[in-house]
Amino acid sequence: MHRLSKRSVKSLLRSSTAARYRDVAAPISSSHFFYQSADADSKGRWYSVLTSGRCDVIESTKPFKTRNEPFLGCRFESTAAASDASDSPSEKFEYQAEVSRLMDLIVNSLYSNKEVFLRELISNASDALDKLRFLGVTEPELLKDAVDLDIRIQTDKENGIITITDSGIGMTRQELVDCLGTIAQSGTAKFLKALKDSKDAGADSNLIGQFGVGFYSAFLVSERVEVSTKSPKSDKQYVWVGEANSSTYTIREETDPAKQLPRGTRLTLYLKRDDKGYAHPERVEKLVKNYSQFVSFPIYTWQEKGFTKEVEVDEDPAEANKEGQDETAEKKKKTKKVVEKYWDWELTNETQPIWLRSPKEVSKEEYNEFYKNTFNEYLEPLASSHFTTEGEVEFRSVLFVPSVSGMGKDDMINPKTKNIRLYVKRVFISDDFDGELFPRYLSFIKGVVDSNDLPLNVSREILQESRIVRIMRKRLVRKAFEMIQGIALSENRDDYETFWENFGKHLKLGCIEDRENHKRIAPLLRFFSSQSENEMISLDEYVENMKPDQKDIYYIASDSVTSARNTPFLEKLLEKDLEVLFLVDPIDEVAVQNLKAFKEKNFIDISKEDLDLGDKNEDKEKEIKQEFGQTCDWIKKRLGDKVASVQISNRLSSSPCVLVSGKFGWSANMERLMKAQTVGDTSNLEFMRSRRVFEINPEHPIIRTLTEACRSTPDDEEALRAIDLLYDAALVSSGFTPENPAQLGGKIYEMMNFALAGKWGTVSEYQQQANQKPHIPETVEAEVVEPVEAGGQK
């Protein structure tokens, strides 16, 4: 049992009421054709039926050309006040559906954007032309009128009327009943079914769906729709009239000679009060260019134009008297430039769909020009890819890699870009996607995608759930990577440097979000390294330069190349001539951690504990631990919970100590980034901080001195303070932030004083001054002086 909405119930209750809607006051004729005045000059002057009287216009092209006696050669003048009533009898028919409910679904649920009504109606007109052209191959008599195959749109913004006329196949009276009387029944669907049943070769004809559900999108903006149609198979022209939310429609024969068509269909939309803005010529032109730019038939719109000419102006009497005094002066007629306006047809869809052509026939200059025109760019793209996918899903596409990133820097955060334009059978559907066709990290790719398998009324839900879209997305992503790989392998290295500068962060984001394409993303990454500080290298180049016995890829994360180059973690690796990648971008460390490995080589952070450089000597390590084990325990006791443990380091050569992160803890760089997060959660900071490991260099003189102090005087205050200072210094040199910078500064100043005093002064003098109490002068009575005003008076 179905539950009817309130709107549907009200519509059903009103369905039996006669005369529900008032007629539009003084409707004008909807024909866009011209008539020729009898007293016109030899060139002929043409007049639009939308004008209320005669107006002189320049010669314009006839809307339809005929071979013999021109059907439109002589027209009777009509006025804007002409009534649409006809003397011929009308018959009423019932819709073959529960109209109130179905129309409510179409208008309020099927379409989310009102402006698509024009796209749907133009698509229907294109189908009618396609069908006529197809049938004209076997039935040439259908084209006997020799009327041009085109679509013309005329508007009346004052009365809110839009007229769409095509010279297509038209419909007979019975076809009007079958196609427009039964909602959601498509004449094109029947046509294609007939072709398929007969196994005709034309079954692959690219027709969109004439007068199916798409026709009723006209009621999104119209309160009344008239369809005047003339089929070449019939001698009579019929007019279908329907109103929004009405359960009936009328069909009558057209008897007015001024409204006769040679062939085709004319739709007249009487717009609702709130939607009359769609009747502006500029808005119609914009909608045609946006949605129907690549329809295969020419679309003409009725536009106001103007040309500049010079006209004579009357002279000022005062100036004329002044000039009259000089009889010898030569008189010149004064003129001024004026713009004379007129109305004429203008071809709106001039751009041809480049993706329908073979890639071998399209030059690089044509691709670049198409890219600039379509996406309003001024620079040529770095690369392009033109391809056709067949098989399970068929679609055509042209993709481009821009030369520069967009003006906005939030493209990685906001995946809703206007870079991908989706077409269905050359009709524009949408460019507002949320990752359905391309993942967020590839949102910089621009292009067009034209599919024959998707429905015209594509919604966000259809895109999200469609299996076709999922297949399209996978193939589009693969083609995008092929384009980028082509730039990386090109002889011009500067092209990829330009690409990486603009879109490198996008690929690093792909390492985090798209695990399936890690093998495609990893070869495209670029980093600085300890052996290439001025020029970025790829991971392939790193692997080629690896030592024969090197098993892993080493990296260090820092805020700059300078900091990474001077970090103490590098000392042993530089001695062994092992290359280390410098991750200086904030996203680098997270991206590499998600990659985990490249060509079976694991990524190793040299700032983490348990670093294996492949030169372990267990006997030597055991001997060193026995010698310095007591020192490690002594330092750990002093530092307490600040570190997890104190160990002998195998990564230091010139520094006395270093503070490394736990194997699963945050590195110094990651800790810095986590602290800088605006809404970051620092609750885990204490736990990660407790996992630090303090490593000492047993070969350094400071560590040996402290070892002697540990053995002789472990409770010496100066030795313990030296451990504290050593920890703070390791904290800074390892990239961490000191917990108490002021206290660290005080310790450094104290050590500097001892060092300087021993060279240029005596320590005893400093200690004497430090221990000496400050001199406080005796209190004396002060004379109170009253204030005196300026001038010597109180």
Side-chain angles (χ1 to χ4, degrees):
M1 181 175 182
H2 299 285
R3 184 183 298 274
L4 291 178
S5 63
K6 290 183 179 180
R7 180 180 298 176
S8 299
V9 173
K10 291 180 180 179
S11 300
L12 289 173
L13 291 176
R14 294 197 307 266
S15 62
S16 62
T17 305
R20 287 177 301 277
Y21 299 94
R22 61 178 178 84
D23 293 334
V24 179
I28 65 173
S29 174
S30 58
S31 174
H32 67 262
F33 303 119
F34 297 101
Y35 68 91
Q36 189 174 24
S37 174
D39 57 350
D41 54 19
S42 59
K43 293 184 178 178
R45 293 187 180 274
W46 294 85
Y47 302 92
S48 170
V49 298
L50 287 181
T51 57
S52 58
R54 296 186 179 182
C55 59
D56 291 338
V57 295
I58 65 171
E59 181 179 3
S60 61
T61 306
K62 296 180 182 180
F64 297 121
K65 298 178 182 178
T66 58
R67 291 174 183 165
N68 303 321
E69 182 69 17
F71 183 82
L72 301 175
C74 181
R75 308 289 289 184
F76 293 98
E77 184 174 359
S78 60
T79 64
S83 173
D84 59 354
S86 176
D87 295 335
S88 61
S90 299
E91 298 180 64
K92 277 195 174 183
F93 298 86
E94 289 288 337
Y95 288 109
Q96 302 300 312
E98 190 181 344
V99 169
S100 298
R101 188 176 183 204
L102 188 54
M103 291 287 285
D104 180 73
L105 290 173
I106 293 174
V107 174
N108 297 291
S109 301
L110 189 59
Y111 297 97
S112 58
N113 186 7
K114 277 188 175 183
E115 65 183 22
V116 301
F117 81 94
L118 190 62
R119 178 196 76 186
E120 297 287 335
L121 299 180
I122 291 177
S123 299
N124 287 339
S126 175
D127 267 348
L129 294 165
D130 258 327
K131 187 175 180 181
L132 175 65
R133 185 168 57 181
F134 183 85
L135 295 176
V137 176
T138 55
E139 302 177 55
E141 63 274 8
L142 297 178
L143 299 173
K144 62 183 178 181
D145 294 326
V147 180
D148 289 344
L149 300 180
D150 58 14
I151 303 169
R152 295 177 182 265
I153 305 173
Q154 193 169 16
T155 59
D156 178 9
K157 63 181 180 181
E158 294 181 359
N159 297 289
I161 298 176
I162 298 178
T163 304
I164 305 171
T165 306
D166 68 75
S167 56
I169 188 64
M171 288 179 283
T172 62
R173 181 181 178 280
Q174 186 59 41
E175 288 172 339
L176 274 178
V177 176
D178 293 339
C179 294
L180 302 191
T182 304
I183 295 181
Q185 177 167 311
S186 170
T188 299
K190 285 185 175 181
F191 177 63
L192 291 178
K193 185 177 184 300
L195 291 178
K196 184 177 181 181
D197 293 342
S198 63
K199 296 183 179 180
D200 199 304
D204 193 28
S205 181
N206 185 16
L207 301 180
I208 301 171
Q210 178 189 12
F211 297 118
V213 175
F215 166 75
Y216 296 94
S217 65
F219 290 104
L220 289 170
V221 295
S222 307
E223 60 183 14
R224 184 159 62 94
V225 177
E226 291 184 4
V227 181
S228 183
T229 182
K230 171 70 166 60
S231 172
K233 299 179 181 179
S234 173
D235 297 332
K236 296 181 180 180
Q237 180 174 330
Y238 296 95
V239 180
W240 181 98
V241 180
E243 295 183 352
N245 298 323
S246 175
S247 61
T248 62
Y249 61 94
T250 63
I251 295 179
R252 60 179 171 81
E253 182 182 345
E254 182 61 79
T255 58
D256 187 354
K259 298 180 180 179
Q260 290 292 331
L261 296 171
R263 182 190 65 226
T265 304
R266 178 174 63 240
L267 273 72
T268 306
L269 312 182
Y270 296 88
L271 302 181
K272 300 175 184 177
R273 179 180 301 177
D274 295 338
D275 298 314
K276 287 187 176 181
Y278 287 106
H280 286 264
E282 297 82 6
R283 189 165 188 182
V284 167
E285 183 181 26
K286 181 179 179 182
L287 290 178
V288 171
K289 287 186 175 181
N290 188 30
Y291 288 101
S292 306
Q293 178 77 0
F294 301 107
V295 170
S296 56
F297 295 97
I299 302 175
Y300 295 93
T301 56
W302 187 243
Q303 299 292 334
E304 184 179 26
K305 299 182 179 181
F307 65 94
T308 304
K309 67 177 184 179
E310 292 188 356
V311 296
E312 296 182 7
V313 295
D314 297 333
E315 296 183 358
D316 190 4
E319 294 182 2
N321 293 333
K322 185 177 180 181
E323 293 179 358
Q325 297 175 0
D326 188 2
E327 297 180 355
T328 59
E330 184 179 355
K331 292 184 179 180
K332 293 183 179 179
K333 294 181 180 180
K334 291 187 176 181
T335 62
K336 67 176 182 179
K337 292 183 179 180
V338 295
V339 178
E340 184 171 327
K341 294 185 178 180
Y342 65 96
W343 290 82
D344 196 6
W345 293 110
E346 180 176 331
L347 182 62
T348 305
N349 59 334
E350 296 179 339
T351 306
Q352 295 299 320
I354 197 173
W355 60 84
L356 296 181
R357 299 165 57 185
S358 172
K360 298 179 181 179
E361 301 174 355
V362 185
S363 63
K364 183 179 179 181
E365 290 73 19
E366 289 178 301
Y367 283 124
N368 295 341
E369 191 66 25
F370 175 80
Y371 169 76
K372 293 178 181 179
N373 293 335
T374 306
F375 300 101
N376 297 322
E377 293 286 346
Y378 61 94
L379 293 177
E380 296 180 354
L382 289 176
S384 62
S385 177
H386 182 185
F387 60 94
T388 301
T389 301
E390 298 178 349
E392 189 176 7
V393 175
E394 180 179 351
F395 67 92
R396 299 171 181 266
S397 180
V398 180
L399 301 179
F400 300 93
V401 177
S403 300
V404 294
S405 59
M407 298 301 293
K409 298 299 182 183
D410 59 344
D411 290 346
M412 294 175 61
I413 302 174
N414 181 18
K416 291 186 177 182
T417 62
K418 303 289 185 179
N419 292 340
I420 298 298
R421 298 174 60 86
L422 175 64
Y423 291 81
V424 174
K425 303 180 178 73
R426 303 185 307 279
V427 177
F428 174 67
I429 300 300
S430 177
D431 59 0
D432 183 15
F433 299 108
D434 193 4
E436 289 85 2
L437 290 178
F438 268 99
R440 179 171 64 159
Y441 68 94
L442 289 178
S443 59
F444 62 89
I445 297 291
K446 296 185 178 184
V448 296
V449 180
D450 188 2
S451 171
N452 293 334
D453 300 322
L454 289 173
L456 269 178
N457 53 334
V458 174
S459 64
R460 178 58 48 79
E461 292 76 16
I462 292 177
L463 286 176
Q464 291 174 344
E465 301 297 331
S466 174
R467 181 184 62 87
I468 297 174
V469 173
R470 290 196 295 270
I471 297 174
M472 290 172 59
R473 172 190 167 108
K474 185 178 295 185
R475 296 182 181 177
L476 288 171
V477 169
R478 186 174 69 235
K479 287 294 182 179
F481 278 118
E482 290 178 2
M483 272 196 305
I484 300 173
Q485 186 67 32
I487 301 174
L489 298 177
S490 66
E491 297 179 357
N492 190 356
R493 193 180 179 94
D494 294 338
D495 285 347
Y496 195 75
E497 291 179 358
T498 301
F499 168 82
W500 185 256
E501 181 181 353
N502 287 282
F503 308 111
K505 288 184 175 64
H506 289 74
L507 295 185
K508 295 172 186 176
L509 180 64
C511 298
I512 303 171
E513 295 187 343
D514 193 356
R515 295 182 180 274
E516 295 181 0
N517 286 303
H518 276 180
K519 290 184 178 180
R520 291 189 175 98
I521 298 174
L524 302 174
L525 300 178
R526 298 293 184 270
F527 302 100
F528 293 108
S529 73
S530 58
Q531 297 181 8
S532 179
E533 298 180 4
N534 298 320
E535 187 176 354
M536 289 186 168
I537 64 169
S538 65
L539 295 179
D540 286 311
E541 291 173 323
Y542 180 95
V543 172
E544 291 177 2
N545 296 332
M546 288 176 59
K547 300 296 180 183
D549 56 345
Q550 183 179 345
K551 299 178 181 179
D552 303 312
I553 300 175
Y554 301 111
Y555 71 88
I556 179 69
S558 185
D559 59 346
S560 66
V561 174
T562 303
S563 300
R565 181 179 62 240
N566 296 319
T567 182
F569 299 106
L570 277 176
E571 294 174 357
K572 208 72 172 182
L573 286 92
L574 293 179
E575 285 186 357
K576 293 179 173 292
D577 198 25
L578 296 176
E579 191 172 12
V580 180
L581 296 177
F582 292 163
L583 310 186
V584 296
D585 210 21
I587 196 175
D588 285 353
E589 185 173 2
V590 183
V592 168
Q593 288 174 354
N594 278 270
L595 279 180
K596 295 181 180 179
F598 176 74
K599 291 186 176 180
E600 299 180 356
K601 307 288 185 181
N602 295 325
F603 288 98
I604 301 297
D605 187 351
I606 63 172
S607 67
K608 299 289 184 71
E609 65 177 332
D610 297 334
L611 177 65
D612 183 11
L613 298 179
D615 57 350
K616 282 189 175 182
N617 189 333
E618 295 182 359
D619 295 335
K620 185 177 180 180
E621 288 181 1
K622 186 176 181 180
E623 181 181 343
I624 293 176
K625 286 182 179 179
Q626 290 179 352
E627 181 179 357
F628 293 92
Q630 184 180 357
T631 305
C632 293
D633 296 338
W634 178 55
I635 296 175
K636 176 63 175 73
K637 182 179 179 181
R638 175 61 179 178
L639 297 179
D641 295 336
K642 292 181 180 180
V643 296
S645 62
V646 179
Q647 300 176 3
I648 305 298
S649 178
N650 64 337
R651 73 187 85 206
L652 299 176
S653 60
S654 58
S655 299
C657 59
V658 71
L659 198 63
V660 302
S661 304
K663 190 173 184 180
F664 302 103
W666 287 342
S667 66
N669 183 68
M670 183 60 67
E671 185 176 311
R672 175 179 59 85
L673 295 177
M674 295 303 293
K675 285 181 179 180
Q677 297 298 315
T678 304
V679 291
D681 182 13
T682 57
S683 59
N684 294 327
L685 186 59
E686 291 298 327
F687 172 76
M688 293 297 181
R689 186 178 294 163
S690 64
R691 297 302 305 160
R692 297 170 183 167
V693 176
F694 190 70
E695 292 188 358
I696 60 175
N697 180 10
E699 305 295 332
H700 199 276
I702 294 180
I703 301 302
R704 292 191 173 275
T705 302
L706 287 178
T707 301
E708 296 297 328
C710 172
R711 294 172 180 172
S712 58
T713 54
D715 297 329
D716 184 74
E717 193 64 27
E718 292 186 2
L720 297 177
R721 288 168 62 189
I723 294 176
D724 294 338
L725 182 60
L726 199 65
Y727 170 79
D728 290 335
L731 201 68
V732 175
S733 63
S734 302
F736 295 98
T737 303
E739 301 171 11
N740 192 338
Q743 185 179 11
L744 173 60
K747 295 177 182 177
I748 296 175
Y749 298 151
E750 183 180 354
M751 296 297 292
M752 288 177 62
N753 178 71
F754 277 103
L756 296 176
K759 187 172 184 179
W760 289 291
T762 58
V763 179
S764 59
E765 291 179 359
Y766 169 77
Q767 291 178 342
Q768 184 178 1
Q769 293 177 4
N771 296 330
Q772 184 178 3
K773 294 182 180 180
H775 173 70
I776 302 177
E778 297 180 358
T779 304
V780 296
E781 294 182 359
E783 181 182 359
V784 179
V785 180
E786 296 182 359
V788 179
E789 296 180 358
Q793 296 180 359
K794 291 184 178 180

